[in-house]
Amino acid sequence: MSEQNNPYGAPTTGHLWDDNLAELTNQPPKWWMIGLHASWILVLLYGIVYPMWPWFGGATQGLMGWTAIGEYKADVAAIQQVRSQYEDKLPGMSAAAILADSELSEYVVRSAKVLFGDNCAACHGGGGQGNPGYPNLVDDDWLYGGDIDTIVTTITNGRMGMMPAKAGVAMTEAEIDQLAAAVAKGEPTSTPLFMEKACFACHGMDGKGMHALGAPNLTDAIWRFGDGSVEAIKYTITHGVNDPSDPQTRNAVMPKFGGGKLSETDIKKLAVYVAKLGAN
């Protein structure tokens, strides 16, 4: 190395260490110097074109007048212009009419995904698959009916069904065991207790439920509470649902989103979104 690159022929600062260690003053390569000067020139040009330099009362505005917030507002305006061709139609349409329009319903499904995430996913899951104690919205099994107008009513006004607790005076523990076993098999009418204890008044003569009362179908093996085990069913029969007389009752309340919480248009969007989640 020393033979190929003789340091003694290069200029030094004049300082020597240990007799032969010198600090050389060689210039950097030309490409490096070109890059250095190009860099500060570009910074200077950038500061002229864009806001950058601190000044009295604020930074310089730059020749282009560009700002980050200005670009953001322009992007939002562009998005709103694209959406307006759909959004302007929605206030004057019913949810059923929106659902019937394939192009418009496709737009609504996409735009309502955020609404669903903000207002519904905490209980019904991100994909509408439900959570323990909260209905599944993708299986087309409905407590109050799954037509679009009923879904609008449910979202607008909320729901709060009621099943009285049967423990004590209404039914003995042995009767609860017998009825729970029949319901667990999907055969609620197989025991005389179904009629004797007036279960048919809410769940129908065939045990398949009644939308008008929000009473579930007891024959389809789809369960709102628990996994359909005899123990889970016994608990529901024993303590009821939303029964104020029993502190251990199951709680099942769907809050209302009408009355100013959500606009009518947002409610229609959510109704279409939910309707499209299921088989209908």
Side-chain angles (χ1 to χ4, degrees), residues 161-227:
M162 194 271 187
M163 173 178 168
K166 298 294 185 179
V169 177
M171 295 181 68
T172 65
E173 186 173 346
E175 289 173 332
I176 291 175
D177 288 343
Q178 182 180 339
L179 181 59
V183 172
K185 291 188 293 185
E187 301 172 354
T189 59
S190 64
T191 171
L193 290 170
F194 186 80
M195 299 298 293
E196 293 173 5
K197 302 302 178 179
C199 302
F200 69 90
C202 294
H203 296 283
M205 298 295 290
D206 56 2
K208 293 185 177 181
M210 296 175 64
H211 287 162
L213 298 175
N217 185 341
L218 302 179
T219 68
D220 59 6
I222 296 176
W223 305 100
R224 170 77 182 274
F225 301 105
D227 56 0

Coordinates of all heavy atoms in Angstrom, one line a residue, residues 161-227:
G161 N -86.2 -7.1 24.3 CA -87.2 -8.2 24.5 C -87.2 -8.5 26.0 O -86.4 -8.0 26.8
M162 N -88.1 -9.4 26.4 CA -88.2 -9.8 27.8 C -88.7 -11.2 27.9 O -89.7 -11.6 27.2 CB -89.2 -8.8 28.5 CG -89.2 -8.9 30.0 SD -90.3 -10.1 30.7 CE -90.2 -9.8 32.4
M163 N -88.1 -12.0 28.7 CA -88.5 -13.3 29.1 C -88.6 -13.4 30.6 O -87.5 -13.2 31.3 CB -87.6 -14.4 28.5 CG -87.9 -15.8 29.0 SD -86.9 -17.0 28.3 CE -87.3 -18.4 29.4
P164 N -89.7 -13.7 31.2 CA -89.8 -13.7 32.7 C -89.0 -14.9 33.2 O -88.9 -16.0 32.6 CB -91.3 -13.9 32.9 CG -91.9 -14.5 31.7 CD -91.0 -14.0 30.5
A165 N -88.4 -14.7 34.4 CA -87.7 -15.8 35.1 C -88.8 -16.8 35.6 O -89.8 -16.5 36.0 CB -87.0 -15.2 36.3
K166 N -88.4 -18.1 35.4 CA -89.4 -19.2 35.7 C -89.1 -19.9 37.0 O -89.8 -20.7 37.4 CB -89.3 -20.2 34.6 CG -89.8 -19.7 33.2 CD -91.2 -19.3 33.2 CE -91.7 -18.8 31.8 NZ -93.1 -18.5 31.8
A167 N -88.0 -19.6 37.6 CA -87.6 -20.3 38.9 C -88.6 -19.9 40.0 O -89.2 -18.8 40.0 CB -86.2 -19.9 39.3
G168 N -88.7 -20.9 40.9 CA -89.6 -20.6 42.1 C -91.0 -21.0 41.8 O -91.4 -22.1 41.6
V169 N -91.9 -20.0 41.8 CA -93.4 -20.2 41.7 C -93.7 -20.8 40.4 O -94.5 -21.8 40.3 CB -94.2 -19.0 42.0 CG1 -95.7 -19.2 41.8 CG2 -93.8 -18.4 43.4
A170 N -93.2 -20.3 39.3 CA -93.6 -20.7 37.9 C -93.2 -22.1 37.6 O -94.0 -22.9 37.0 CB -93.0 -19.7 36.9
M171 N -92.0 -22.5 37.9 CA -91.5 -23.8 37.6 C -90.6 -24.4 38.7 O -89.9 -23.6 39.3 CB -90.8 -23.8 36.3 CG -91.6 -23.5 35.1 SD -90.6 -23.5 33.5 CE -90.3 -25.3 33.4
T172 N -90.7 -25.7 38.9 CA -89.8 -26.3 39.9 C -88.5 -26.6 39.2 O -88.4 -26.5 37.9 CB -90.4 -27.6 40.4 OG1 -90.5 -28.6 39.3 CG2 -91.8 -27.4 41.0
E173 N -87.5 -26.9 40.0 CA -86.2 -27.2 39.4 C -86.2 -28.4 38.5 O -85.6 -28.4 37.4 CB -85.1 -27.4 40.5 CG -83.7 -27.6 40.0 CD -82.7 -27.7 41.1 OE1 -83.0 -27.3 42.3 OE2 -81.6 -28.1 40.8
A174 N -87.0 -29.4 38.8 CA -87.1 -30.6 38.0 C -87.8 -30.3 36.7 O -87.4 -30.8 35.6 CB -88.0 -31.7 38.8
E175 N -88.8 -29.4 36.7 CA -89.5 -29.0 35.5 C -88.5 -28.2 34.6 O -88.6 -28.4 33.4 CB -90.7 -28.2 35.8 CG -91.9 -29.0 36.4 CD -93.0 -28.1 36.9 OE1 -92.8 -27.0 37.3 OE2 -94.2 -28.6 36.9
I176 N -87.7 -27.4 35.2 CA -86.8 -26.6 34.4 C -85.8 -27.5 33.7 O -85.4 -27.4 32.6 CB -86.0 -25.6 35.3 CG1 -87.0 -24.5 35.7 CG2 -84.8 -25.0 34.6 CD1 -86.4 -23.5 36.7
D177 N -85.3 -28.6 34.5 CA -84.4 -29.6 33.9 C -85.1 -30.3 32.7 O -84.4 -30.4 31.6 CB -84.0 -30.6 34.9 CG -83.1 -30.1 36.0 OD1 -82.5 -29.0 35.8 OD2 -83.0 -30.7 37.1
Q178 N -86.3 -30.6 32.8 CA -87.0 -31.4 31.8 C -87.2 -30.5 30.5 O -86.9 -30.9 29.4 CB -88.4 -31.8 32.3 CG -89.2 -32.6 31.3 CD -90.5 -33.1 31.8 OE1 -90.7 -33.1 33.0 NE2 -91.4 -33.4 30.9
L179 N -87.6 -29.2 30.7 CA -87.8 -28.3 29.6 C -86.5 -28.0 28.9 O -86.4 -27.9 27.7 CB -88.5 -27.0 30.1 CG -88.9 -26.0 29.0 CD1 -89.8 -26.6 28.0 CD2 -89.5 -24.8 29.7
A180 N -85.5 -27.7 29.7 CA -84.2 -27.4 29.1 C -83.6 -28.5 28.3 O -83.0 -28.3 27.2 CB -83.2 -27.0 30.3
A181 N -83.8 -29.8 28.7 CA -83.3 -30.9 28.0 C -84.1 -31.0 26.6 O -83.4 -31.3 25.6 CB -83.6 -32.2 28.8
A182 N -85.4 -30.7 26.6 CA -86.1 -30.8 25.4 C -85.7 -29.7 24.4 O -85.5 -29.9 23.2 CB -87.6 -30.7 25.7
V183 N -85.5 -28.5 24.9 CA -85.0 -27.3 24.1 C -83.6 -27.6 23.5 O -83.3 -27.3 22.4 CB -85.1 -26.0 24.9 CG1 -84.4 -24.9 24.1 CG2 -86.5 -25.7 25.3
A184 N -82.7 -28.2 24.4 CA -81.4 -28.4 23.9 C -81.4 -29.4 22.7 O -80.5 -29.3 21.9 CB -80.6 -29.0 25.1
K185 N -82.3 -30.3 22.6 CA -82.4 -31.2 21.5 C -83.2 -30.6 20.3 O -83.3 -31.3 19.3 CB -83.2 -32.5 22.0 CG -82.4 -33.3 22.9 CD -83.0 -34.7 23.2 CE -84.4 -34.5 24.0 NZ -85.0 -35.8 24.4
G186 N -83.6 -29.4 20.5 CA -84.3 -28.7 19.4 C -85.8 -29.2 19.3 O -86.4 -29.1 18.2
E187 N -86.3 -29.8 20.3 CA -87.6 -30.4 20.3 C -88.4 -29.8 21.5 O -88.8 -30.6 22.4 CB -87.6 -31.9 20.4 CG -86.8 -32.5 19.2 CD -86.6 -34.0 19.4 OE1 -86.9 -34.5 20.5 OE2 -86.0 -34.6 18.5
P188 N -88.6 -28.5 21.6 CA -89.3 -27.9 22.8 C -90.7 -28.4 23.0 O -91.2 -28.5 24.1 CB -89.3 -26.4 22.5 CG -89.2 -26.3 21.0 CD -88.3 -27.5 20.6
T189 N -91.4 -28.8 21.9 CA -92.8 -29.2 22.0 C -92.9 -30.7 22.4 O -94.0 -31.2 22.6 CB -93.5 -29.0 20.7 OG1 -92.9 -29.7 19.6 CG2 -93.6 -27.5 20.3
S190 N -91.8 -31.4 22.6 CA -91.8 -32.8 22.9 C -92.2 -33.0 24.4 O -92.5 -34.1 24.8 CB -90.5 -33.4 22.6 OG -89.4 -32.9 23.5
T191 N -92.1 -31.9 25.2 CA -92.5 -32.1 26.6 C -93.8 -31.3 26.8 O -94.0 -30.2 26.3 CB -91.4 -31.5 27.5 OG1 -92.0 -31.4 28.9 CG2 -91.0 -30.1 27.1
P192 N -94.8 -31.8 27.6 CA -96.0 -31.1 27.8 C -95.8 -29.8 28.5 O -96.7 -28.9 28.5 CB -96.8 -32.1 28.8 CG -96.2 -33.4 28.5 CD -94.7 -33.2 28.2
L193 N -94.7 -29.6 29.2 CA -94.4 -28.4 29.9 C -94.4 -27.2 29.0 O -94.7 -26.0 29.4 CB -93.0 -28.5 30.6 CG -92.9 -29.4 31.8 CD1 -91.5 -29.6 32.2 CD2 -93.8 -28.9 32.9
F194 N -94.1 -27.4 27.7 CA -94.0 -26.3 26.7 C -95.4 -25.6 26.6 O -95.5 -24.4 26.5 CB -93.6 -26.8 25.4 CG -93.4 -25.7 24.4 CD1 -92.2 -24.9 24.4 CD2 -94.3 -25.4 23.4 CE1 -92.0 -23.9 23.4 CE2 -94.2 -24.4 22.5 CZ -93.0 -23.6 22.5
M195 N -96.4 -26.4 26.7 CA -97.8 -25.9 26.6 C -98.3 -25.5 28.0 O -98.9 -24.4 28.2 CB -98.7 -26.9 26.0 CG -98.4 -27.3 24.6 SD -98.5 -25.9 23.4 CE -100.2 -25.6 23.4
E196 N -98.0 -26.3 29.0 CA -98.5 -26.1 30.4 C -97.9 -24.8 31.0 O -98.6 -24.1 31.7 CB -98.1 -27.3 31.3 CG -98.8 -28.6 30.9 CD -98.3 -29.7 31.7 OE1 -97.4 -29.5 32.6 OE2 -98.7 -30.9 31.4
K197 N -96.7 -24.5 30.6 CA -96.1 -23.3 31.2 C -96.2 -22.1 30.2 O -95.5 -21.1 30.4 CB -94.6 -23.5 31.5 CG -94.4 -24.7 32.5 CD -95.2 -24.4 33.8 CE -95.0 -25.6 34.8 NZ -95.8 -25.3 36.1
A198 N -97.0 -22.2 29.2 CA -97.3 -21.1 28.3 C -96.1 -20.6 27.5 O -96.1 -19.4 27.1 CB -98.0 -19.9 29.1
C199 N -95.1 -21.5 27.3 CA -94.0 -21.1 26.5 C -94.4 -20.7 25.0 O -93.8 -19.9 24.3 CB -93.0 -22.2 26.4 SG -92.3 -22.7 28.1
F200 N -95.5 -21.4 24.6 CA -96.0 -21.2 23.2 C -96.5 -19.8 23.0 O -96.5 -19.3 21.9 CB -97.2 -22.2 23.0 CG -98.4 -21.9 23.8 CD1 -99.4 -21.0 23.3 CD2 -98.6 -22.4 25.0 CE1 -100.5 -20.7 24.0 CE2 -99.7 -22.1 25.8 CZ -100.7 -21.3 25.3
A201 N -96.8 -19.1 24.1 CA -97.4 -17.7 23.9 C -96.4 -16.8 23.3 O -96.8 -15.8 22.6 CB -97.8 -17.2 25.3
C202 N -95.1 -17.0 23.5 CA -94.1 -16.2 22.9 C -93.3 -16.9 21.7 O -93.0 -16.4 20.7 CB -93.0 -15.7 23.9 SG -93.7 -14.6 25.1
H203 N -93.1 -18.2 22.0 CA -92.3 -19.0 21.0 C -93.1 -19.7 19.9 O -92.5 -20.4 19.1 CB -91.4 -20.0 21.8 CG -90.4 -19.4 22.7 ND1 -89.2 -18.8 22.2 CD2 -90.4 -19.2 24.0 CE1 -88.5 -18.3 23.2 NE2 -89.2 -18.5 24.4
G204 N -94.4 -19.5 20.0 CA -95.2 -20.1 19.0 C -95.6 -21.6 19.3 O -94.9 -22.2 20.1
M205 N -96.7 -22.0 18.7 CA -97.1 -23.4 18.9 C -96.1 -24.4 18.5 O -96.1 -25.5 19.1 CB -98.5 -23.6 18.2 CG -99.6 -22.7 18.7 SD -100.1 -23.0 20.4 CE -100.9 -24.6 20.3
D206 N -95.3 -24.1 17.5 CA -94.3 -25.0 17.0 C -92.9 -24.8 17.6 O -92.0 -25.5 17.3 CB -94.3 -25.0 15.5 CG -94.0 -23.6 15.0 OD1 -93.8 -22.7 15.8 OD2 -94.0 -23.4 13.7
G207 N -92.8 -23.8 18.5 CA -91.5 -23.5 19.1 C -90.5 -22.7 18.2 O -89.4 -22.6 18.5
K208 N -91.0 -22.2 17.1 CA -90.1 -21.6 16.1 C -90.1 -20.1 16.3 O -89.5 -19.4 15.4 CB -90.5 -22.0 14.7 CG -90.3 -23.5 14.4 CD -90.6 -23.8 12.9 CE -90.3 -25.3 12.7 NZ -90.5 -25.7 11.3
G209 N -90.6 -19.6 17.4 CA -90.4 -18.2 17.7 C -91.4 -17.3 17.0 O -92.2 -17.7 16.1
M210 N -91.5 -16.0 17.4 CA -92.4 -15.0 16.9 C -91.6 -13.7 16.7 O -91.2 -13.1 17.7 CB -93.6 -14.9 17.8 CG -94.4 -16.1 17.9 SD -95.8 -15.9 19.1 CE -96.8 -14.6 18.4
H211 N -91.5 -13.2 15.5 CA -90.8 -12.0 15.2 C -91.5 -10.8 15.9 O -90.8 -9.9 16.4 CB -90.8 -11.7 13.7 CG -89.8 -12.6 13.0 ND1 -89.9 -12.8 11.6 CD2 -88.8 -13.3 13.5 CE1 -88.9 -13.6 11.3 NE2 -88.2 -14.0 12.4
A212 N -92.8 -10.8 16.1 CA -93.5 -9.7 16.7 C -93.1 -9.5 18.1 O -93.1 -8.3 18.6 CB -95.0 -9.9 16.6
L213 N -92.6 -10.5 18.8 CA -92.2 -10.4 20.2 C -90.7 -10.5 20.4 O -90.2 -10.4 21.5 CB -92.9 -11.5 21.0 CG -94.4 -11.5 21.1 CD1 -95.0 -12.7 21.8 CD2 -94.9 -10.2 21.7
G214 N -90.0 -10.8 19.3 CA -88.6 -11.0 19.4 C -88.2 -12.3 20.1 O -87.1 -12.4 20.6
A215 N -89.1 -13.2 20.1 CA -88.9 -14.5 20.7 C -88.2 -15.5 19.8 O -88.6 -15.7 18.6 CB -90.3 -15.1 21.1
P216 N -87.1 -16.0 20.2 CA -86.2 -16.8 19.3 C -86.8 -18.2 18.9 O -87.7 -18.7 19.6 CB -84.9 -17.0 20.1 CG -85.3 -16.9 21.5 CD -86.5 -15.9 21.5
N217 N -86.4 -18.7 17.8 CA -86.7 -20.1 17.4 C -86.0 -21.0 18.2 O -84.7 -21.0 18.4 CB -86.3 -20.2 15.9 CG -86.7 -21.5 15.3 OD1 -87.0 -22.5 16.0 ND2 -86.7 -21.6 14.0
L218 N -86.7 -22.0 18.9 CA -86.0 -22.9 19.8 C -85.7 -24.2 19.1 O -85.3 -25.2 19.7 CB -86.9 -23.2 21.0 CG -87.3 -22.0 21.8 CD1 -88.3 -22.4 22.9 CD2 -86.1 -21.2 22.3
T219 N -85.9 -24.3 17.8 CA -85.7 -25.6 17.1 C -84.5 -25.6 16.1 O -84.2 -26.6 15.5 CB -86.9 -25.9 16.3 OG1 -87.1 -25.0 15.2 CG2 -88.2 -25.9 17.2
D220 N -83.8 -24.4 15.9 CA -82.8 -24.3 14.9 C -81.4 -24.4 15.4 O -80.4 -24.2 14.6 CB -83.0 -23.0 14.1 CG -82.9 -21.8 15.0 OD1 -82.5 -21.9 16.2 OD2 -83.1 -20.7 14.5
A221 N -81.2 -24.6 16.7 CA -79.8 -24.8 17.2 C -79.0 -23.5 17.0 O -77.7 -23.6 17.0 CB -79.1 -26.0 16.6
I222 N -79.6 -22.4 16.9 CA -78.9 -21.1 16.9 C -79.2 -20.4 18.3 O -80.4 -20.2 18.6 CB -79.3 -20.2 15.8 CG1 -79.0 -20.9 14.4 CG2 -78.7 -18.8 15.8 CD1 -79.5 -20.1 13.2
W223 N -78.1 -20.1 19.0 CA -78.3 -19.6 20.4 C -77.8 -18.2 20.6 O -76.7 -17.9 20.2 CB -77.6 -20.6 21.3 CG -78.0 -22.0 21.1 CD1 -77.4 -23.0 20.4 CD2 -79.2 -22.6 21.6 NE1 -78.1 -24.1 20.4 CE2 -79.2 -23.9 21.1 CE3 -80.3 -22.2 22.3 CZ2 -80.3 -24.8 21.4 CZ3 -81.3 -23.0 22.6 CH2 -81.3 -24.4 22.1
R224 N -78.6 -17.4 21.2 CA -78.3 -16.1 21.6 C -77.3 -16.1 22.8 O -76.4 -15.3 22.9 CB -79.5 -15.2 21.9 CG -79.3 -13.9 22.5 CD -78.8 -12.9 21.5 NE -78.5 -11.6 22.1 CZ -79.4 -10.6 22.4 NH1 -80.7 -10.8 22.0 NH2 -79.1 -9.5 22.9
F225 N -77.6 -16.9 23.8 CA -76.8 -17.0 25.0 C -76.3 -18.4 25.1 O -77.0 -19.4 25.1 CB -77.7 -16.7 26.2 CG -78.4 -15.3 26.2 CD1 -79.7 -15.2 25.9 CD2 -77.6 -14.2 26.4 CE1 -80.3 -14.0 25.8 CE2 -78.2 -12.9 26.4 CZ -79.6 -12.8 26.1
G226 N -75.0 -18.4 25.4 CA -74.3 -19.7 25.6 C -74.2 -20.6 24.3 O -74.4 -20.1 23.2
D227 N -73.9 -21.8 24.5 CA -73.6 -22.7 23.4 C -74.7 -23.7 23.1 O -74.5 -24.7 22.4 CB -72.3 -23.5 23.7 CG -72.3 -24.2 25.0 OD1 -73.3 -24.2 25.7 OD2 -71.3 -24.8 25.4

